[in-house]
């Protein structure tokens, strides 16, 4: 089992997302839930393609933190 951080961003028309550990792997959607579903499918497709091309999967290294400012 691999875990990948995804970043979700609110856009004018919905949401977009990407994962820092898989460059070029992106997804969009009208809702956050739809975007998460699309991103899951995008990551799976990306991984399947890497395996087919015999490209070693990268180790997940991205982390996130929320900082609060006054």
């Amino acid at each position: 089992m691999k875990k990948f951080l995804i970043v979700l961003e609110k856009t004018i028309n919905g949401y977009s997302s990407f994962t820092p550990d898989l460059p070029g792997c992106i997804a969009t959607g009208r809702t956050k839930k739809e975007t998460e579903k699309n991103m899951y499918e995008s990551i799976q497709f990306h991984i399947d393609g890497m395996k087919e091309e015999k490209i070693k999967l990268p180790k997940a290294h991205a982390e996130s933190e929320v900082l609060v400012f006054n």
Side-chain angles (χ1 to χ4, degrees):
M1 175 190 288
K2 288 230 180 235
K3 293 182 181 182
F4 291 100
L5 171 73
I6 68 167
V7 177
L8 291 153
E9 299 175 316
K10 181 78 172 115
T11 67
I12 294 171
N13 300 321
Y15 289 86
S16 66
S17 63
F18 69 95
T19 178
D21 294 321
L22 296 171
C25 187
I26 62 168
T28 62
R30 283 180 265 159
T31 65
K32 184 177 174 183
K33 186 172 183 173
E34 179 183 9
T35 305
E36 289 171 348
K37 176 187 168 291
N38 292 344
M39 191 61 191
Y40 181 89
E41 292 171 358
S42 181
I43 290 171
Q44 189 61 61
F45 183 76
H46 198 90
I47 289 172
D48 290 346
M50 291 179 76
K51 286 179 180 177
E52 189 174 306
E53 295 293 323
K54 298 187 179 8
I55 298 170
K56 187 176 178 182
L57 293 177
K59 290 187 179 186
H61 67 275
E63 296 182 22
S64 69
E65 190 66 45
V66 175
L67 302 177
V68 179
F69 296 87
N70 289 328

